[in-house]
Amino acid sequence: MTEKNVDSIEVPHFKYEQFQEVLRALPVDDLWSFAENEEDVDKLCEDFLTIVRRKLSLEEVSSLYTISIMVYLLGPTRDLANRYGQRVQLLGNCFNYSDTLKPTMIDYATRNMLQHFKLANKQDEAQTDYMLQLLQVIPHMLVASETGKMISFGLLRAFIAELSGSGQPIIMHIYRNITELWYMIKQINLDTVLEEWPLRKIYILTKSFALLMNSAAFGANTALKQAGYRGFELPANMADIKKWFDTLRNKIEEKHKDNKAGKNLVRLIDFNILMPETENEVGT
């Protein structure tokens, strides 16, 4: 296994071999048998788009959520920012197949996605590659549909819980509120983060919290509220949250002043956590 550069936040390449392994592990794998050994992404998109037009079970739809994300990621990471066309169409069609907002379905789909991305990245001892990969697609999921948004919230919450090392297993992958996320984060010893965590791990924590906070507190969540979900407001102790991240930001700037990834991380904290919502740039 190639040793990672701890000061790099490069998204790991998602390989066709990983995709094939997940396809074999998904339920009703015969439905995806056409994709076996297929490495033409355009052809994969066309065939999966055909499947999305069928009548599908919730289990099959949940599997297609995972498949559409992996198809989006397939290939070299250098052109991730330019992936549009059929890849994004497949992602959108899958997450718009039906706006299922039942907590049990959101939990099942989120759990299924985490399980199979971890399977695909089982060689990654640090278990952060799958988080970086999903963070590339979550901005698309957030705007694809209300279902995509709730699954994204569940994924981001799971990342923060795992990085915080709270030791408490997540019973249901359902977003609750920003205060819960802050309770997870403040359990992390800031000195440990600064002394022992690689930049990629700090980036995942920061980006996950920023995406969740901005999307939950400043996004259009009327449909989610109508479905019974709550927690779409900033907590009263926002000053404590900003103080924690401000300390982190200043220490990173001091320690990594000559490092491009460090400078980008400082910018991420500045514009997405410390500044007012009218000026945030959550997609950065």
Side-chain angles (χ1 to χ4, degrees), residues 12-233:
H13 178 188
F14 194 80
K15 303 178 179 66
Y16 287 92
E17 294 83 359
Q18 293 171 287
F19 180 57
Q20 298 294 338
E21 182 175 14
V22 171
L23 284 181
R24 291 190 293 270
L26 285 169
V28 290
D29 61 336
D30 58 318
L31 190 61
W32 339 112
S33 59
F34 66 86
E36 188 174 351
N37 301 319
E38 179 61 72
E39 296 191 5
D40 184 328
V41 175
D42 289 337
K43 183 67 166 60
L44 284 170
C45 287
E46 290 173 7
D47 291 341
F48 280 118
L49 282 167
T50 299
I51 286 182
V52 177
R53 290 193 283 269
R54 300 181 188 176
K55 185 175 181 179
L56 301 168
S57 68
L58 290 177
E59 186 177 54
E60 290 165 345
V61 173
S62 177
S63 294
L64 279 170
Y65 293 157
T66 298
I67 287 171
S68 66
I69 292 171
M70 291 185 173
V71 169
Y72 179 89
L73 288 167
L74 278 173
T77 57
R78 62 180 177 272
D79 65 341
L80 268 176
N82 299 315
R83 291 190 182 168
Y84 299 107
Q86 285 190 312
R87 295 189 196 223
V88 174
Q89 183 185 354
L90 176 61
L91 197 71
N93 286 15
C94 288
F95 280 97
N96 276 286
Y97 182 86
S98 64
D99 248 351
T100 304
L101 289 173
K102 291 182 179 179
T104 50
M105 178 57 183
I106 298 296
D107 171 67
Y108 175 77
T110 306
R111 194 176 300 275
N112 187 52
M113 203 172 291
L114 287 167
Q115 174 190 340
H116 289 101
F117 263 88
K118 287 180 180 180
L119 171 65
N121 289 283
K122 61 181 182 294
Q123 300 301 323
D124 172 34
E125 295 177 3
Q127 279 292 285
T128 54
D129 282 359
Y130 80 94
M131 297 182 190
L132 282 170
Q133 290 165 347
L134 283 166
L135 279 172
Q136 292 300 304
V137 192
I138 283 174
H140 292 290
M141 294 167 59
L142 285 168
V143 299
S145 68
E146 302 306 316
T147 300
K149 183 179 288 187
M150 280 306 297
I151 292 173
S152 297
F153 285 2
L155 292 171
L156 295 167
R157 176 174 174 257
F159 298 167
I160 293 171
E162 186 159 334
L163 293 174
S164 71
S166 63
Q168 297 181 349
I170 293 179
I171 305 303
M172 284 195 74
H173 287 284
I174 299 295
Y175 166 77
R176 288 181 170 78
N177 52 58
I178 297 170
T179 298
E180 180 200 36
L181 305 174
W182 167 236
Y183 284 149
M184 293 179 188
I185 290 172
K186 74 176 186 177
Q187 293 181 50
I188 306 171
N189 185 296
L190 199 50
D191 289 334
T192 300
V193 172
L194 294 165
E195 293 171 11
E196 300 179 12
W197 284 28
L199 277 179
R200 66 194 337 253
K201 191 173 178 180
I202 302 174
Y203 168 81
I204 293 168
L205 177 72
T206 304
K207 184 67 177 283
S208 297
F209 182 77
L211 276 170
L212 241 176
M213 182 186 75
N214 283 282
S215 300
F218 309 130
N221 297 308
T222 303
L224 298 181
K225 293 175 184 177
Q226 290 174 346
Y229 292 102
R230 297 292 181 266
F232 303 106
E233 63 280 322

